[in-house]
Amino acid sequence: METPDTQRTYHETEAEYNLPNDSAEHARLEDQASGFAELMHGNIIHAPLTNPERLLDIGCGTGVVTHNFSSLFPSATIYGVDLTPVPAIRPDTPTNICYIQGDVKKLAQTDPRLAAGSLDYVFSRLLICGMTDWARYIKDVVALRLKPGGWAEVQDLDYVFWLHGQACSGEWRWLKALRKGALRKDLDLDCGSNAAKYMREAGLVDVRVQEYGIPFGKWATKDRPETERLGAHQVREMPGIFWNMIPRVVEGLGLPEEEVKELQMESRKCLAEEEGKQWRLYITVGRRPLS
């Protein structure tokens, strides 16, 4: 886990993205992806796909999920889009993968590979820290790219924390400030649970949601062994992630530097391992109507 003084590098982009983009983050993303695969018992895709020909992984990061899609559908073309180049951490890129660098909202308007009505499946995971105007994104980027009958899948969080089944984070001062700053930046810190609404508003049908509880720590391992890796990841990595995120998201709120530091310190206490503490990942799928 990074220390409070760790220097990080970030995407050089106009898009609103508040997580680092460096080798330490790449390693974290790889470990996180392995944890999600274990949590989902290896079944990353929840939409009922049948012989898809063209798939899109939005915010593909290190390309770990993109490569998974490539293996599952070797005859399909897989596009992976990210703000910065996919790091060269794998020996080669399968011939059916094509990486595209840029802001997907802009690419959707300019890149013929992402033409309207051309994709069988559009996937994203954990865009909570960087996607703005979710309603427009789902309508104009995701739903509009799908062929009739094509599926969208959003895997994302709410920044709501639970303790023994009850929401426990409503009065956390640092999270209140984070939400206030996020609102100014047009980020949705409840995009996980809101994705179903956005899909329905965009005209998608057969919308359904599946929830996964992600523990903070290994306390759930006895009953849910599939959570062990991801639970350990939360307590090891999330305090540092939020430590670095808080100043970036609350900028513009006029908070003095000392108060921002207090919020950072409070976040570390709140995100410590505790039996019964978790947050929720929402898996939302929806289909474009056939007509």
Side-chain angles (χ1 to χ4, degrees):
M1 182 178 70
E2 66 205 61
T3 65
D5 296 322
T6 301
Q7 296 298 311
R8 308 302 302 269
T9 60
Y10 291 82
H11 295 269
E12 295 182 2
T13 173
E14 295 179 358
E16 185 63 49
Y17 191 78
N18 294 283
L19 293 185
N21 178 37
D22 52 25
S23 59
E25 177 65 1
H26 299 157
R28 187 192 71 81
L29 290 172
E30 289 286 299
D31 182 65
Q32 178 178 259
S34 296
F36 278 127
E38 292 180 13
L39 179 73
M40 300 171 186
H41 302 283
N43 301 313
I44 296 173
I45 296 175
H46 295 66
L49 302 185
T50 304
N51 299 320
E53 298 175 347
R54 292 163 57 84
L55 299 84
L56 173 61
D57 179 10
I58 297 176
C60 64
T62 63
V64 59
V65 173
T66 324
H67 276 247
N68 179 271
F69 293 169
S70 171
S71 298
L72 287 173
F73 307 109
S75 299
T77 299
I78 319 295
Y79 297 106
V81 171
D82 205 83
L83 293 169
T84 51
V86 173
I89 59 178
R90 290 177 177 78
D92 53 43
T93 299
T95 56
N96 66 331
I97 288 179
C98 178
Y99 288 122
I100 308 171
Q101 181 183 348
D103 182 340
V104 71
K105 288 182 178 177
K106 296 179 180 178
L107 291 170
Q109 305 301 319
T110 60
D111 194 311
R113 292 169 291 186
L114 306 182
S118 67
L119 300 170
D120 297 287
Y121 179 62
V122 177
F123 172 91
S124 71
R125 177 191 286 166
L126 298 183
L127 300 186
I128 187 169
C129 295
M131 184 57 65
T132 58
D133 194 353
W134 272 82
R136 185 171 72 85
Y137 160 68
I138 295 294
K139 179 180 179 181
D140 294 346
V141 176
V142 176
L144 195 59
R145 301 307 110 196
L146 292 172
K147 297 176 183 177
W151 286 89
E153 180 161 344
V154 171
Q155 301 187 358
D156 232 303
L157 296 162
D158 286 2
Y159 280 179
V160 175
F161 298 82
W162 303 80
L163 189 63
H164 301 298
Q166 300 294 320
C168 64
S169 56
E171 297 304 314
W172 290 356
R173 193 164 62 96
W174 69 271
L175 189 53
K176 284 184 174 182
L178 197 73
R179 285 185 168 276
K180 188 174 181 179
L183 187 63
R184 285 175 55 90
K185 293 174 176 287
D186 203 17
L187 297 167
D188 181 0
L189 300 191
D190 298 307
C191 60
S193 62
N194 284 336
K197 175 186 70 174
Y198 295 141
M199 285 191 184
R200 293 187 180 101
E201 290 173 349
L204 299 185
V205 298
D206 296 335
V207 176
R208 52 183 182 267
V209 181
Q210 181 173 343
E211 297 181 20
Y212 290 91
I214 303 177
F216 269 67
K218 298 183 179 182
W219 56 267
T221 301
K222 182 178 179 180
D223 295 326
R224 299 173 60 209
E226 70 275 11
T227 67
E228 181 175 6
R229 183 167 189 162
L230 200 56
H233 181 96
Q234 304 312 300
V235 294
R236 184 178 65 250
E237 302 290 350
M238 288 304 109
I241 288 292
F242 280 102
W243 179 282
N244 285 297
M245 186 193 308
I246 287 169
R248 297 174 65 87
V249 176
V250 305
E251 64 181 0
L253 296 183
L255 301 180
E257 183 177 347
E258 187 58 35
E259 183 173 350
V260 174
K261 183 69 64 143
E262 290 174 2
L263 296 176
Q264 291 174 298
M265 295 300 294
E266 181 194 341
S267 73
R268 282 190 174 269
K269 294 178 181 178
C270 292
L271 297 174
E273 181 172 4
E274 184 175 359
E275 184 172 350
K277 183 188 292 179
Q278 64 180 340
W279 54 359
R280 296 174 180 174
L281 180 75
Y282 297 81
I283 311 293
T284 308
V285 301
R287 179 177 61 84
R288 182 174 175 178
L290 292 173
S291 59

